[in-house]
Structure formats: structure tokens, C-alpha cells
Amino acid sequence: MSISLRIERKSGGEPIEFVNGEITGFTYMNNSAKNLSAKSSVLAHSLHIRSKIPLHSLPSVIDNADNTNMLYTWANTEYKPDSEDYYRKCNIQIVRNENTIREITFTHAYVEKYQEQMDTSKEILEFELVLKQKEDQLGKIQYSPQLEPKETRE
């Protein structure tokens, strides 16, 4: 089984991609009520992603270059209303035996939490990333496979 992550900027450029076993864990959380008259109307959808990456595969930071294709840079981007790069399209795909068993796309994702640690003896960078969808864009989250509504019996 493999998990891949692709993060794209609205302004174009190189996407941030993790493939070939770099993503070691994934959790999708939805704690929203299906019935809006339920106890809470606070909607929250989040992707929790864990990874281990060899240090040699990290891109170099070049002075005066556009380094926004680095996860670390995006995670530290300050919110500005006019910024095209604060919200990004994030697609996570889980594949087993060459069949996609789950795919979720946040069309307006932002970084809620990012933490990393380096193990120089093993030359590994480990990170945990928590992404959320912009609140007014929750209806644009894309899921595959789509779930059909259950029929109700009278």
C-alpha cells in the first residue's frame, strides 16, 4: 500500500509532492454533524499526515529564489488576504495493489500545524502536517469513492 500527497499553488509553479513511501501515516478527521440542528454547528475537516524523508532528498534553499515549493516554507507562510499561495489544493491518494482505495482533495487547504525533527545519525527528517479546508469552502472537498446516500424506508 502507498500514500501519495500532492500540493499545488494557485499561482502555478512546481508542486510539492511526496510519493514512493515517503508518507508513513495518514488520518482524515471529520467531526462535523450531518444534521445542522445537532449539538454543534462547528464544522472541521482535517488531514493529518506523517512522513519520514531522507535528508538528501530535500531541496536546497537558494538565496533570493522562489522557495515556495518547499513544505517548510508553505507551513510558515503568513496569512495575507491577497495571498494566492496561502491556500493550496492538496490531494492525498491511498493506493493498494494498483487500485485507488481512497482519495481526498482539499481545494483550499491551509496548514494548521507543522512540526519536524531531524535525526542526523539516520539522515532522516520526520514531519507531521495537519491541513484544514478553508471554512467557507467546505462544500468543495472532493472524495473518491463517492458515497451514495442511503435509502430510507417508510
Side-chain angles (χ1 to χ4, degrees):
M1 182 159 50
S2 68
I3 303 170
S4 63
L5 174 66
R6 182 178 175 95
I7 302 169
E8 299 174 35
R9 297 185 304 181
K10 289 182 182 181
S11 61
E14 289 293 314
I16 301 168
E17 291 187 288
F18 297 96
V19 294
N20 301 327
E22 294 172 330
I23 303 294
T24 58
F26 161 73
T27 304
Y28 166 69
M29 295 186 69
N30 171 356
N31 66 352
S32 61
K34 291 186 187 266
N35 178 355
L36 292 181
S37 64
K39 290 182 184 178
S40 173
S41 62
V42 177
L43 305 175
H45 298 261
S46 59
L47 301 174
H48 299 243
I49 300 158
R50 292 167 300 288
S51 179
K52 288 185 181 181
I53 304 169
L55 288 175
H56 66 81
S57 68
L58 292 174
S60 297
V61 175
I62 301 170
D63 289 339
N64 299 319
D66 178 9
N67 293 305
T68 54
N69 66 333
M70 297 172 54
L71 182 61
Y72 174 82
T73 305
W74 180 45
N76 288 297
T77 299
E78 188 176 328
Y79 173 74
K80 295 176 186 166
D82 299 337
S83 173
E84 288 188 11
D85 287 336
Y86 186 76
Y87 296 105
R88 298 190 182 189
K89 179 179 180 181
C90 297
N91 174 272
I92 191 147
Q93 189 175 49
I94 302 161
V95 177
R96 182 182 61 212
N97 299 328
E98 298 181 17
N99 294 312
T100 300
I101 59 171
R102 186 85 69 247
E103 185 171 8
I104 301 171
T105 302
F106 280 20
T107 57
H108 295 78
Y110 65 93
V111 178
E112 180 185 63
K113 175 184 171 185
Y114 177 79
Q115 67 182 44
E116 66 179 29
Q117 63 184 41
M118 289 191 198
D119 184 336
T120 55
S121 64
K122 295 180 183 176
E123 295 191 4
I124 296 282
L125 171 87
E126 295 180 62
F127 72 80
E128 180 180 348
L129 173 68
V130 179
L131 301 174
K132 285 197 169 182
Q133 174 85 340
K134 186 178 179 188
E135 192 173 290
D136 65 349
Q137 301 293 320
L138 292 175
K140 294 186 178 179
I141 296 173
Q142 301 164 2
Y143 304 94
S144 179
Q146 284 290 334
L147 299 175
E148 295 296 322
K150 293 181 182 178
E151 292 183 23
T152 57
R153 294 184 182 174
E154 295 185 30

